[in-house]
Amino acid sequence: MKLAATAGGGLFLGFSWTSSVASALEVVSDTALAAGKIDFNSYLALSPDGLITIFSPNPELGQNIKTSFPMIVAEELDADWTKVKVIQAPLDTNKFERQVTGGSGAVPHSWERLRKAGATARQMLIEAAAKRWKVPASSLSTENSMVIHKASGRKLSYGELVTEAAKMPVPAEVKLKEPKDFKLIGKAVRNVDNHEMVTGKPLYGIDFYRDGMLFAMIQRPTAFGMKLKSVDAAAAKAMPGIVDVVTFKNNVAVVGKSTWQVNKARKALKIAYEKEGALESSADHDRLFKELLDSKEATVRRKDGDVDTAFKNAAKVVKGEYQCPFLSHAPMEPMNFFAHVRPDGVELVGPTQTPERARGEVAKLLNISPEKVTVELTRLGGGFGRRLAADYVLEAAELSSIIKAPVKVIWTREDDMTGGTYRPAVRYRFEAALDAKGNMIGYKLRGVGINSGNPTREDNFPSGAVDNLLIDSVEHQSPITTGPWRAPITNFLAFAEQAFLDEVAEAAGKDPVQFRLALLEKAKKAPVGEIKYDIDRMKGVIELAAEKSGWGKKKGVAQGFSVYFSHRSYVAQVGEVELKNGAPVVKKIYAAADCGQVINLSGANQQVKGGVVDGLGHAMYSNLTFKDGAPEQNNFSTYRLIRMKEVPEIDVHFVNNGIDPTGLGEPALPPTGGAVANAIYKATGKRLRNQPFMQQAEFKSA
């Protein structure tokens, strides 16, 4: 940017990412910029050749913000999209806020400030043209990086106006577009990294290379609850290309000149382990769940009304228990990170969802100031919550500090699948009390989780719609490491809740869709306690999904319904299932999403479809089990993922309600399991209460 300024001048605008609304923008002279006196939070740059450049601060792992962020700026700027360039910004906590990919919150967080940045630049360009032409600014319009005076037919490109615009005062207030006037937002725009991805250009952490760096692979304990006892590394050290074998904490790192060489040498290590804690097995967890569901020691998460009396006076009580297994995040790019620990500071490069956490934990590990640690972000080849943790970053940093050299730590697929962290295993117990008319007058939910924190979401639907409600939880602490997995907790809880609501609707003799709508209507007219979801938005997606799927009107196909609220958004789904050789086959899934304003229609469609595929595949097939603390699945040959031929047709629809964007990276996943399970019940008469579905005895042999 400094070179661009000295070469030809330009308009450089800094806009704040650290307040709830965009701060006033500051115009900077070319001389000041070239002299390095600028301290912006983030940058929008317009150059005389018409190029528009912005830095995208958040990690990109496929959620499309690296495309969506510049689209928002370009919309308000009325820019020619072909001249927009986006650059991934490094970690900078002075300039940026929330440099995090997680919680489906990037676009909601930055929506208004990005719009104001673009609109302010546009207004300044208009003022520059008005001054040159000596006409009122109100007589000018913009389009496709041009300022236009319709009365005279004159036009000037943004590039022609940049130098003059840089001298204009920054407007304190700017008018943002009405959604009806959007030309770019809401359209399908291809990802800005598509060309690099398709042509194999370096983008990901696994691609990163630095001359002189070493490669390392680490042997970790083979089971959770084991610790390192002894190491014989003589054979490994003697192998070609091996520089060193280093032991630190419970790890043994093999360092060398290539991944092939260190991987071969690691297999030559002779390591002994000893027991440090409990060596838990999946069979132990099954017994544990049963005990804790009956425990009298539970944490009450929400209690409304008189639950005991409601169940005592119920005309009918419905009960059901649902269980989910541990799951691997299994991103296609295994964990990897580069670190160079020097006397004057630390350089970190790689794929992380939480660069500030990575910096902070490395600084703490090495007992240095965080200001001495830099973090450069690469594109992430998947994360799904796994890269929220910084364990693999710490490994690289600690190893570099020991060997006094730059090093890149790479995990194999087996490392990735057996080294944690996992989606927690959970079991739920539901009970519903019905009166003589089939109204739900009581509701109980207990969640028992293994390292899950709170395995419930006590304020989600149907809370607020039932007069008497009790939601509590019990937690088991295990040596098995767990962490957030795409749509944390709700990724399974939604299936359990929505499948159980279908059971209740059937017991009440009511249509599942109408049963949910009636509960929402009750919550609207006579809410019980605090309601933290938007009733009208939830009703909207329910009605849209029912309409688009032809709910209840089709023959020859079994339909199942589900709806869920998570990450500020609402998604309803209808799954359609047919039987083939006695086994259920998912043929089609309809999804209705309310995520507020859709930024990029292409990206939004893929986020919903990707969430559906993720939710379907893991509900149907995936399972991670343990024996004596060790994972029994260590690669895709034993850990089952959905296959391309098993992906059904997915029909996506969006609610256009004109509100600001809410989350979309995760909300489409939670409803899928319930929609499919309820459809399978319609097709087979079999209630599915445990995942994965296709490991049910009757489906295994079909």
Coordinates of all heavy atoms in Angstrom, one line a residue, residues 44 87 165 180 190 196 218 246 252 258 287 331 338 430 435 447 479 488 511 518 520 551 620:
L44 N -9.6 0.0 3.5 CA -10.2 0.0 2.2 C -9.4 0.9 1.3 O -9.2 2.1 1.6 CB -11.6 0.5 2.2 CG -12.3 0.9 0.9 CD1 -12.4 -0.3 0.0 CD2 -13.6 1.5 1.2
I87 N -7.4 -9.4 0.5 CA -6.2 -10.0 1.0 C -6.4 -10.4 2.4 O -7.0 -9.7 3.2 CB -5.0 -9.0 1.0 CG1 -4.7 -8.6 -0.5 CG2 -3.8 -9.5 1.6 CD1 -3.7 -7.5 -0.6
A165 N -10.5 12.8 -4.3 CA -11.4 12.3 -3.2 C -10.6 12.2 -1.9 O -11.2 12.4 -0.8 CB -11.9 10.9 -3.6
K180 N -33.7 -3.1 -1.3 CA -34.3 -3.3 -2.6 C -33.4 -2.7 -3.7 O -33.6 -3.0 -4.9 CB -35.7 -2.5 -2.7 CG -35.6 -1.0 -2.5 CD -36.9 -0.3 -2.5 CE -36.8 1.2 -2.3 NZ -36.0 1.9 -3.2
R190 N -19.0 -16.1 -7.3 CA -18.0 -17.2 -7.1 C -17.0 -16.8 -6.0 O -16.6 -15.6 -5.9 CB -17.3 -17.6 -8.4 CG -16.5 -16.6 -9.0 CD -15.9 -17.1 -10.3 NE -15.1 -16.1 -11.0 CZ -14.5 -16.2 -12.2 NH1 -14.8 -17.3 -12.9 NH2 -13.8 -15.3 -12.7
E196 N -7.4 -20.2 -7.4 CA -6.2 -20.8 -6.7 C -6.5 -22.2 -6.2 O -5.6 -23.1 -6.3 CB -5.8 -19.9 -5.5 CG -5.2 -18.6 -5.8 CD -6.1 -17.5 -6.5 OE1 -7.3 -17.7 -6.4 OE2 -5.6 -16.6 -7.0
I218 N 4.9 -36.1 15.3 CA 4.9 -36.3 16.8 C 4.2 -37.6 17.1 O 3.0 -37.8 16.7 CB 4.4 -35.1 17.5 CG1 5.2 -33.9 17.3 CG2 4.2 -35.4 19.0 CD1 4.7 -32.6 17.9
V246 N 13.2 -35.7 19.6 CA 13.0 -34.8 20.8 C 11.9 -35.3 21.6 O 10.8 -35.6 21.1 CB 12.8 -33.4 20.4 CG1 12.6 -32.5 21.6 CG2 14.0 -32.9 19.5
V252 N 6.9 -37.5 21.6 CA 8.2 -37.8 21.0 C 8.1 -37.3 19.5 O 7.4 -37.8 18.7 CB 8.5 -39.3 21.0 CG1 9.9 -39.5 20.4 CG2 8.4 -39.9 22.4
S258 N 12.1 -34.1 5.4 CA 10.9 -34.3 4.6 C 9.8 -35.1 5.4 O 10.2 -35.8 6.3 CB 11.1 -35.0 3.3 OG 11.4 -36.4 3.6
R287 N -22.7 -48.0 30.4 CA -23.2 -48.2 31.8 C -23.2 -46.9 32.5 O -24.2 -46.7 33.3 CB -22.2 -49.2 32.5 CG -22.3 -50.6 31.9 CD -21.5 -51.6 32.8 NE -20.0 -51.3 32.8 CZ -19.2 -51.8 31.9 NH1 -19.6 -52.6 31.0 NH2 -17.9 -51.5 32.0
P331 N -11.4 -33.0 9.4 CA -11.2 -32.0 8.3 C -10.3 -32.6 7.3 O -9.4 -33.4 7.6 CB -10.6 -30.8 9.0 CG -9.9 -31.3 10.2 CD -10.7 -32.5 10.7
F338 N 3.3 -24.0 11.3 CA 4.7 -23.6 11.2 C 5.1 -22.7 12.4 O 4.3 -21.8 12.7 CB 5.0 -22.9 9.9 CG 6.3 -22.3 9.8 CD1 7.5 -22.9 9.4 CD2 6.5 -20.9 10.2 CE1 8.7 -22.3 9.4 CE2 7.7 -20.3 10.1 CZ 8.8 -21.0 9.7
F430 N -36.0 -37.9 27.8 CA -37.1 -37.0 27.6 C -38.4 -37.6 28.2 O -38.6 -38.8 28.2 CB -37.4 -36.8 26.2 CG -36.3 -36.0 25.4 CD1 -35.3 -36.7 24.8 CD2 -36.4 -34.6 25.3 CE1 -34.3 -36.0 24.1 CE2 -35.4 -33.9 24.6 CZ -34.4 -34.6 24.0
D435 N -52.4 -33.9 28.4 CA -53.7 -34.0 29.0 C -54.7 -34.8 28.1 O -54.3 -35.3 27.1 CB -54.3 -32.5 29.3 CG -54.5 -31.7 28.0 OD1 -54.6 -32.3 26.9 OD2 -54.7 -30.5 28.2
G447 N -29.9 -34.2 30.3 CA -28.8 -34.5 29.4 C -27.6 -35.0 30.2 O -27.2 -34.4 31.2
P479 N -10.7 -38.6 30.7 CA -9.4 -38.3 30.1 C -9.5 -38.1 28.6 O -8.6 -37.5 28.0 CB -8.6 -39.6 30.4 CG -9.3 -40.3 31.5 CD -10.7 -40.0 31.3
P488 N -22.0 -26.8 18.1 CA -21.8 -27.5 19.3 C -23.1 -27.8 20.1 O -24.0 -27.0 20.2 CB -20.9 -26.5 20.1 CG -20.2 -25.8 19.1 CD -21.2 -25.6 18.0
D511 N -50.8 -34.0 13.8 CA -49.8 -33.8 12.7 C -48.5 -33.2 13.3 O -48.6 -32.2 14.0 CB -50.3 -33.0 11.6 CG -49.3 -32.7 10.5 OD1 -49.0 -33.6 9.7 OD2 -48.7 -31.6 10.6
A518 N -48.8 -25.2 16.9 CA -49.7 -24.9 18.0 C -48.9 -24.5 19.2 O -49.3 -23.7 20.0 CB -50.5 -26.1 18.3
L520 N -45.9 -23.1 19.2 CA -45.4 -21.7 19.0 C -46.5 -20.7 19.2 O -46.3 -19.6 19.8 CB -44.9 -21.6 17.6 CG -43.5 -22.3 17.4 CD1 -43.2 -22.4 15.9 CD2 -42.4 -21.7 18.2
W551 N -45.9 -31.0 2.1 CA -46.0 -31.8 3.3 C -47.4 -32.5 3.4 O -48.4 -31.8 3.3 CB -45.8 -30.9 4.6 CG -46.0 -31.6 5.9 CD1 -47.1 -31.6 6.6 CD2 -45.2 -32.6 6.5 NE1 -47.0 -32.4 7.7 CE2 -45.8 -33.0 7.7 CE3 -43.9 -33.1 6.2 CZ2 -45.2 -33.9 8.5 CZ3 -43.3 -34.0 7.0 CH2 -44.0 -34.4 8.2
M620 N -26.2 -40.8 10.0 CA -26.4 -42.1 9.4 C -25.3 -43.0 9.6 O -25.5 -44.2 9.8 CB -26.6 -41.9 7.8 CG -27.9 -41.1 7.5 SD -29.4 -42.1 7.6 CE -29.3 -43.1 6.2

